[in-house]
Amino acid sequence: MWDPLTASRILTALTLSFHILFATIGVGVPLYIALAEWRAMRIGDRDLSRSAYRWGKGYAVTVALGVVTGTSIGLFLNLLWPPFMALAGQTIALPLFLETFAFFLEAIFLGLYLYTWREDGPPLRNTLYAAVIALGASASAFFITSVNAFMNTPAGARITAEGTLDVHPVQAMFSPATATKTVHVLLSAYFASAFVLAALSAYELRRDPRDTRAAKALRLAMQGALLFGVGTVLSGDFSGKFLAAYQPEKLAAAEWHFTTQGAAPLRLFGLWEDGTVRYALTIPYGLSVLAKGTPSAVVTGLDAFPPEDRPPLVVHYFFDLMVVFGFLLLALAAYYWWRVWRTRSVGQAEEVATGRLPAWFFPALVVAAPLSLMTVELGWYFAEMGRLPWIVRGIARVGETATENPAVSWLVYVFLALYVLLTAIAVRVLAAIYGSEGPETAFRRLFGGLRGGESRGS
């Protein structure tokens, strides 16, 4: 059994780890559904609309499961961290409230989209419904991420011994970290979701190389992978410069930068053993360029902060793995388009996808899907642990804001069992939907169909 603080931290980390998987898919996939429907309407290609509908059915499953973990997070804010909510509750209430409405918008139009979709239906209706789903999903991510931004750079309130005064919820929602954090979260969700959808198409193409619908879906997913991959790298660079200015201790911990100095080197990889960095690859001036854009810039080190205010050094591993995996995924997307460019004279991109890519590429895409989600997880571990020891930076520490109820320990086992069950259900249902028996048959067998579904396409 754990003490209440440790149990609260384990339960929160466990819930966030599960929720981020569903939330990433929930934010990214709707954008591709909308893009596929829009493109299908613009060029009259029903294959893309059929792909969007197939994605929508799997997406509905992840939304249903994400509701469970998302509701748990809302519950835990009050149950596990009551002093935090007493301190910041009224300050962050606005984005939490708006996030709920954004989710309702997303869920209502997802239901309308799945219920009304017909292969021979009006393309404009499908496109509009899908666009609203994507808007609701992205808005939901913006609002909830703005809460996290407030915890990193609190604004919009005055915290005193008498309590929280002069509350301005809009200022709190647009704290200094909101811009860089929300843009990076949205782009990385679009980037990771592209590989989830690409993996589905790759699996289908391995099963039937003549499946032109899957080849077109793969092309759309790889367009998103390249575009949003580059965007994620650029927004990550802006995030690094933001940390140098507003949260230098988080950047210093991520880069194992111990001493404030100019011409600061960048440390990649390595091991922290016996108080010493070993086996690291050092790039002269690299951190100064990364943090402030010039080789001679002074970068604040961990020595500028008392030991009790420094983040744990383990965040360096999370940060490096996130960067390495991210660039591997971007290289995979770039390789696809390089092959398309090289073979553009022999036929359409759909033909390239089925006949001009090496055999290893399709299994690699299947592996890339969980790798992309793991990359997002590593990014969140870095973001959350890099804020430690603070729950609201500079105002309240994690250790001061946890519940004192010893019964929390039991909840860890209860919710661990719940999340394992949810994961098993998700894998089983998604495998049935996209398995060999075909999505329509599996979906009707598992859920009894949406409206009989006889006239719908596959």
Side-chain angles (χ1 to χ4, degrees), residues 11-28:
L11 189 51
T12 302
L14 185 66
T15 303
L16 283 172
S17 296
F18 275 86
H19 181 67
I20 286 168
L21 299 176
F22 299 121
T24 300
I25 294 172
V27 172

Side-chain angles (χ1 to χ4, degrees), residues 191-200 202 222 225 325-326 328-333 360-376:
F191 181 45
S193 296
F195 284 97
V196 173
L197 299 178
L200 178 61
M222 297 311 289
F325 290 167
L328 281 176
L329 293 168
L330 183 57
L332 203 58
W360 61 264
F361 186 76
F362 296 102
L365 279 181
V366 174
V367 173
L371 187 66
S372 68
L373 296 175
M374 188 187 304
T375 304
V376 175

Side-chain angles (χ1 to χ4, degrees), residues 127-365:
T127 303
L128 289 177
Y129 284 174
V132 176
I133 297 169
L135 177 65
S138 295
S140 179
F142 171 84
F143 292 129
I144 206 66
T145 306
S146 73
V147 174
N148 187 273
F150 166 82
M151 295 165 71
N152 283 273
T153 54
R158 193 160 53 87
I159 312 296
T160 70
E162 290 76 30
T164 305
L165 306 174
D166 301 331
V167 175
H168 297 281
V170 175
Q171 290 182 17
M173 193 166 70
F174 291 96
S175 70
T178 298
T180 54
K181 189 169 278 290
T182 55
V183 168
H184 193 61
V185 165
L186 286 170
L187 290 175
S188 59
Y190 302 149
F191 181 45
S193 296
F195 284 97
V196 173
L197 299 178
L200 178 61
S201 297
Y203 172 73
E204 292 170 330
L205 285 169
R206 286 291 290 177
R207 206 169 54 188
D208 180 8
R210 297 167 299 176
D211 188 344
T212 56
R213 182 199 54 73
K216 293 173 184 175
L218 175 63
R219 178 185 173 88
L220 178 64
M222 297 311 289
Q223 284 176 328
L226 185 62
L227 176 65
F228 294 119
V230 173
T232 301
V233 171
L234 293 176
S235 66
D237 181 62
F238 282 115
S239 296
K241 290 176 171 55
F242 174 85
L243 291 180
Y246 287 87
Q247 288 183 279
E249 74 281 9
K250 179 185 280 190
L251 180 66
E255 303 293 356
W256 284 351
H257 181 58
F258 300 100
T259 305
T260 301
Q261 65 180 94
L266 179 67
R267 287 194 177 92
L268 300 176
F269 317 113
L271 291 175
W272 176 254
E273 291 181 345
D274 303 325
T276 305
V277 176
R278 301 179 187 275
Y279 316 119
L281 174 63
T282 301
I283 302 176
Y285 311 103
L287 185 56
S288 288
V289 173
L290 178 69
K292 300 190 176 180
T294 57
S296 60
V298 176
V299 180
T300 304
L302 286 173
D303 62 344
F305 302 90
E308 65 271 19
D309 290 348
R310 298 174 185 172
L313 295 180
V314 71
V315 297
H316 175 79
Y317 300 116
F318 296 141
F319 182 78
D320 276 7
L321 285 175
M322 174 192 70
V323 172
V324 169
F325 290 167
F327 274 104
L328 281 176
L329 293 168
L330 183 57
L332 203 58
Y335 178 81
Y336 171 88
W337 287 107
W338 177 67
R339 292 299 297 242
V340 169
W341 177 78
R342 279 196 63 190
T343 55
R344 65 192 185 283
S345 61
V346 300
Q348 298 298 314
E350 291 75 25
E351 297 172 14
V352 173
T354 56
R356 299 291 176 177
L357 288 166
W360 61 264
F361 186 76
F362 296 102
L365 279 181

Side-chain angles (χ1 to χ4, degrees), residues 148 152 181 250 378-388:
N148 187 273
N152 283 273
K181 189 169 278 290
K250 179 185 280 190
L378 289 167
W380 273 107
Y381 291 157
F382 163 66
E384 293 302 289
M385 296 185 70
R387 194 183 60 243
L388 295 177

